[in-house]
Amino acid sequence: MKTLGKILLALIAIPVIAVLALVLLVDVNRFKPHIENAAKEQGIALSIKGDLGWNLWPSIGVEINDLSVAALATPEQPLAELTRASLLLKLMPLFSGDFQVDHLLVDGARINLAVDKAGTGNWEALTKSDAKPAAETTTDSPADLTLDIQDISLTNSQVNYSDAQSGQKLALRAINLHLSDVNTRAEPFPLTLALSVEMAQDGAAPLLLDIALNNNLSVDAQLSDITLSDGELQLGVGKAAPLVLGYQMALSDVQNKPAYKGQLSVKETNLRGLLAALGTELETANSDALKQFSLSAAIDGNDQQLQLTNLVMQLDKTRFEGALAITDLANTALKVDLKGDSINVDDYLPPPSEVEATESTAAQEDTPLPLEAIRGLNLNAKFALQRMIIKQMALENILLTVNAKNGVVNQNLTAKAYSGDVKFTSKTDARSDKAALNFDGAVQGFELAPLLKDLQMDEKMALSGAIQANTQGTAQGATVNQLMTSMNSTANFSGAQVRLAPLNIEEQFCKLVNLVTQNQEQVTWDAFTEMRQLDGNIVWRDQVISLNSFNAGVSQLLLASTGKINLANDKYEFKLPIKIASASEAAQLKGCSLGTTNYWVDRGLSLLRCKGSFGAIDPVKDCGFDKNALGDLTKDFAEYKLREKHGAKIEAAEQKVEEKKQEVKQQVEDKKQELINKLQNKLFKTPASAAASSAATEPVVE
């Protein structure tokens, strides 16, 4: 800023000095060397190649042409150049000591700022001067500034900036600024500004912007209170329709504790087209998403905080109201309180892919978590929505609170969904190199039929009734895939009067029984399974969802299930063990040939199995008999029937066989012992038998 101040001071001081010379009836061109020397004393290489012109009537003034400013060490590399500048003073007021500017014109100003690879700016040389700084002076109160300028114009000007270290480049071109009737009497005067902006980074395409601004400006004599009224800022990007910002702003106590207050509005604009012009092409499920956006709010703030109140934001068909605030600018502490009517989040999500991604492709497309951004987040937010659709599920009366500070994010969600209640809380800790996630959720009275309808899963499978469920889990990782892979959670669920269609498990059970018993009875069955009550437990670990337990009462049957869902390959498999709890219930089963009910009572039969694609579940196609288990059951039932018919004879025969087996076994044991005894006698003789043998062989001595 000091450098720019010197440049502006040089540009303004020159016309003023020239006017004084003209008043003294001196040829101002004779002062060019003196002016250049004065600039040199300030560390500036000033070159005035053009002539100094003057005017006496009806205004008195001076004109300067072809001027350049550079560092003393590099005068051939100008930091600033000027094609033409002129200053005209109203002649008649001068006789009464009133200094009124008729016109101040600067045309063709060019400022070139550059940072070399060492990080040194070319303007820094201008600050090197042997001149001693002027002593600071203090006053009790600033003197009033009186300005009365008919016109101020800056035309055909530009500012260029480049940084060799970062590779950044910025160019402000075609700068045209015009002010008329400028005063410090707090009377509004018009200001218009137009320029083109080009921002570039090495290796990237440049960004081109067109900016146009106009408003009325009023300033008091103390430069303390400033008012901007009837303001409009237009931002054009490429061929997209410009973003139009309207504003009214009042600044107070600018010299001491500046504060501002006013109104902001963004006229309806096509955000989708604007983002595309900025180089961000969006693909959304709804191609019309983000085409309508507008905003209005009251703004109030100072050097410590900023807030937007009475906020009204329209995003396509959704209206939001509320407030936004940065409660602490130094720490970027954000506070959000928004209420909306209805939004379909699916419209803004990427469209479904026509080609299923393989596991390796998904791994390549893994998305890193924004851990640094989470660590720096300082947020206290509350979002309320009357209705929201997300992943085809409809939620109502949604309330989401988010609190984030020091790398820890806590979320709390409550909502109504499908005649039930939804609660979910989570905590994300991003203070280490991996995010740690803990969550806890529950649903109560969740109606299944409308859920499957919204998910478009009711064509091949229908579920009705309400369930309750709760879940807890953890995950950790630095990417989305790592979070999914490390997911470890459990869930318990229960329900009552749940109906499954078009599969009738009772029918399948009785068909199985009739197949085993060779019964040909024909019965008409309902096309659904009615479950009196159900409960179960699910575990999610290593991308596999395991159904560890599932129990349900189906008519006179007790149904259980175990199985797995493999998310990595989109496959699932479940087995459905079935049993009859009592003989009385077995007798009530229509269409089942259960003449000998005791066989079936309290017997677990894992004969039904469902397997297929989890993404396209079809119970009729996926579920059927387990052939191996059916074969084993048939053999077991045949043996049971044989015993039932010839039980006494079989038992008598088995008794005789058992007795004969015991007799043979005893004979074998006796024979074995006899052989062992003989072997021992041969190998190990007793002492008595050995002495007797010796006496028999000894000769008699007379």
Side-chain angles (χ1 to χ4, degrees):
M1 292 300 295
K2 184 176 180 181
T3 301
L4 293 177
K6 285 189 174 184
I7 294 173
L8 293 175
L9 179 62
L11 296 177
I12 294 174
I14 293 168
V16 172
I17 295 173
V19 169
L20 294 176
L22 181 63
V23 172
L24 297 174
L25 300 177
V26 176
D27 183 4
V28 291
N29 285 291
R30 295 176 56 185
F31 283 86
K32 287 169 54 176
H34 300 284
I35 297 174
E36 293 174 346
N37 289 332
K40 186 176 182 180
E41 292 177 358
Q42 296 297 319
I44 299 174
L46 176 64
S47 174
I48 306 175
K49 299 178 182 178
D51 292 334
L52 296 177
W54 51 271
N55 187 65
L56 286 177
W57 187 266
S59 298
I60 185 170
V62 67
E63 179 178 305
I64 188 170
N65 297 276
D66 198 4
L67 176 148
S68 65
V69 175
L72 290 177
T74 55
E76 73 284 355
Q77 299 177 7
L79 276 73
E81 297 176 281
L82 185 65
T83 301
R84 183 170 69 93
S86 66
L87 174 65
L88 296 178
L89 300 178
K90 294 180 180 180
L91 181 60
M92 298 308 296
L94 286 176
F95 293 103
S96 59
D98 190 5
F99 187 80
Q100 295 184 13
V101 180
D102 184 62
H103 183 88
L104 174 61
L105 168 66
V106 176
D107 180 60
R110 297 176 297 279
I111 299 176
N112 302 299
L113 304 176
V115 177
D116 60 23
K117 292 184 178 180
T120 303
N122 61 349
W123 61 87
E124 294 183 23
L126 297 180
T127 63
K128 298 177 182 179
S129 175
D130 294 333
K132 296 182 180 180
E136 294 185 1
T137 59
T138 59
T139 57
D140 294 336
S141 61
D144 292 351
L145 175 65
T146 301
L147 285 180
D148 194 352
I149 305 175
Q150 184 173 341
D151 288 293
I152 297 177
S153 296
L154 174 65
T155 58
N156 304 317
S157 298
Q158 63 182 27
V159 177
N160 298 304
Y161 171 82
S162 63
D163 189 332
Q165 278 191 325
S166 64
Q168 294 179 341
K169 294 182 179 179
L170 173 65
L172 308 180
R173 300 193 179 98
I175 302 174
N176 289 279
L177 171 67
H178 184 74
L179 301 90
S180 59
D181 299 324
V182 178
N183 67 86
T184 53
R185 300 186 299 273
E187 296 178 1
F189 56 88
L191 178 153
T192 61
L193 171 66
L195 71 154
S196 296
V197 180
E198 179 178 345
M199 293 181 286
Q201 180 74 44
D202 287 349
L207 174 62
L208 304 177
L209 304 175
D210 291 318
I211 299 175
L213 176 147
N214 65 81
N215 58 245
N216 289 325
L217 175 67
S218 66
V219 183
D220 66 353
Q222 293 79 31
L223 299 182
S224 177
D225 297 334
I226 302 174
T227 302
L228 303 173
S229 58
D230 301 326
E232 182 178 274
L233 171 64
Q234 293 190 17
L235 176 62
V237 184
K239 297 181 180 180
L243 177 69
V244 181
L245 172 67
Y247 57 91
Q248 311 277 343
M249 195 73 63
L251 292 82
S252 60
D253 202 7
V254 174
Q255 301 294 332
N256 299 303
K257 295 182 178 180
Y260 47 88
K261 192 172 186 178
Q263 295 284 333
L264 293 176
S265 66
V266 177
K267 295 184 179 180
E268 184 175 311
T269 188
N270 185 338
L271 282 184
R272 192 184 192 91
L274 185 62
L275 290 172
L278 290 170
T280 303
E281 293 282 353
L282 294 179
E283 291 187 7
T284 56
N286 186 341
S287 59
D288 290 329
L290 297 173
K291 285 189 174 181
Q292 295 179 331
F293 174 81
S294 62
L295 178 146
S296 65
I299 183 171
D300 188 357
N302 51 42
D303 58 350
Q304 296 180 347
Q305 59 87 28
L306 162 68
Q307 60 179 350
L308 298 177
T309 57
N310 298 325
L311 173 67
V312 177
M313 181 172 62
Q314 188 75 30
L315 179 62
D316 298 322
K317 298 179 181 179
T318 306
R319 178 184 174 92
F320 292 96
E321 297 180 354
L324 300 174
I326 304 177
T327 57
D328 187 345
L329 289 171
N331 297 315
T332 320
L334 303 176
K335 185 176 182 179
V336 181
D337 187 354
L338 289 178
K339 296 180 180 179
D341 45 21
S342 177
I343 187 170
N344 188 339
V345 178
D346 293 346
D347 288 345
Y348 303 90
L349 298 178
S353 175
E354 297 180 359
V355 180
E356 294 185 2
T358 63
E359 186 175 356
S360 59
T361 301
Q364 293 176 0
E365 296 178 352
D366 197 5
T367 303
L369 298 177
L371 297 179
E372 285 296 331
I374 295 175
R375 296 183 191 116
L377 191 60
N378 189 347
L379 175 66
N380 181 3
K382 181 170 70 173
F383 303 95
L385 280 167
Q386 296 177 12
R387 179 178 172 82
M388 177 175 67
I389 296 176
I390 180 168
K391 294 295 185 180
Q392 298 178 289
M393 296 186 295
L395 304 177
E396 297 178 342
N397 299 332
I398 305 106
L399 178 61
L400 171 65
T401 60
V402 181
N403 292 282
K405 194 171 184 179
N406 299 326
V408 178
V409 182
N410 291 289
Q411 299 181 77
N412 189 0
L413 171 70
T414 61
K416 295 282 187 180
Y418 305 103
S419 303
D421 297 318
V422 178
K423 294 182 179 180
F424 183 83
T425 60
S426 71
K427 177 181 178 181
T428 303
D429 190 337
R431 289 175 292 183
S432 66
D433 57 349
K434 291 184 178 180
L437 172 65
N438 291 272
F439 61 87
D440 190 340
V443 295
Q444 295 288 332
F446 210 69
E447 291 287 347
L448 297 173
L451 171 63
L452 291 183
K453 182 178 180 180
D454 286 347
L455 295 177
Q456 299 179 0
M457 297 176 61
D458 58 340
E459 181 178 352
K460 296 181 179 180
M461 178 181 68
L463 274 173
S464 62
I467 63 169
Q468 290 71 238
N470 59 76
T471 181
Q472 302 84 32
T474 62
Q476 65 175 356
T479 68
V480 174
N481 283 355
Q482 289 178 10
L483 280 183
M484 295 299 295
T485 302
S486 66
M487 185 72 69
N488 186 352
S489 67
T490 61
N492 298 297
F493 61 89
S494 62
Q497 302 302 319
V498 177
R499 176 177 291 186
L500 169 67
L503 179 66
N504 189 319
I505 295 176
E506 186 180 2
E507 175 190 6
Q508 298 298 320
F509 174 79
C510 287
K511 283 183 177 180
L512 183 148
V513 171
N514 293 339
L515 182 63
V516 173
T517 61
Q518 299 182 359
N519 178 42
Q520 303 297 324
E521 181 181 0
Q522 298 294 325
V523 176
T524 301
W525 296 92
D526 294 325
F528 57 84
T529 298
E530 189 82 39
M531 289 176 276
R532 299 188 304 272
Q533 73 283 327
L534 63 88
D535 61 76
N537 172 265
I538 296 173
V539 174
W540 182 341
R541 184 177 291 113
D542 298 330
Q543 290 189 286
V544 175
I545 301 175
S546 301
L547 181 60
N548 288 348
S549 67
F550 175 85
N551 300 289
V554 179
S555 186
Q556 283 76 39
L557 303 176
L558 295 178
L559 173 66
S561 179
T562 58
K564 296 180 182 298
I565 301 171
N566 194 319
L567 299 177
N569 58 20
D570 190 42
K571 300 295 182 182
Y572 83 98
E573 180 175 359
F574 291 95
K575 290 184 178 181
L576 303 173
I578 304 172
K579 70 178 181 180
I580 301 175
S582 66
S584 61
E585 291 178 341
Q588 298 177 27
L589 280 170
K590 65 176 183 178
C592 282
S593 178
L594 299 173
T596 308
T597 56
N598 289 335
Y599 175 80
W600 305 99
V601 172
D602 204 25
R603 178 182 293 271
L605 305 175
S606 298
L607 303 177
L608 293 178
R609 183 176 66 173
C610 299
K611 63 184 298 185
S613 170
F614 180 64
I617 295 178
D618 185 347
V620 175
K621 178 182 177 182
D622 297 346
C623 299
F625 296 135
D626 188 325
K627 294 181 180 180
N628 293 332
L630 181 60
D632 294 339
L633 177 64
T634 303
K635 292 178 183 179
D636 187 70
F637 183 73
E639 181 181 347
Y640 177 85
K641 294 295 291 183
L642 183 63
R643 288 181 177 277
E644 185 180 48
K645 184 176 182 179
H646 305 287
K649 294 181 180 180
I650 293 174
E651 289 179 2
E654 287 179 343
Q655 181 65 31
K656 289 182 179 180
V657 171
E658 183 64 28
E659 291 175 355
K660 188 64 177 177
K661 286 170 60 178
Q662 292 297 329
E663 181 181 347
V664 172
K665 182 178 180 181
Q666 186 61 45
Q667 291 176 356
V668 171
E669 289 294 329
D670 292 344
K671 189 66 176 177
K672 182 173 68 174
Q673 187 62 43
E674 181 181 351
L675 292 174
I676 291 173
N677 291 338
K678 288 181 178 181
L679 182 60
Q680 287 179 343
N681 289 335
K682 288 182 179 181
L683 297 177
F684 306 104
K685 294 181 179 181
T686 63
S689 62
S693 177
S694 175
T697 57
E698 186 177 3
V700 177
V701 180
E702 294 184 358

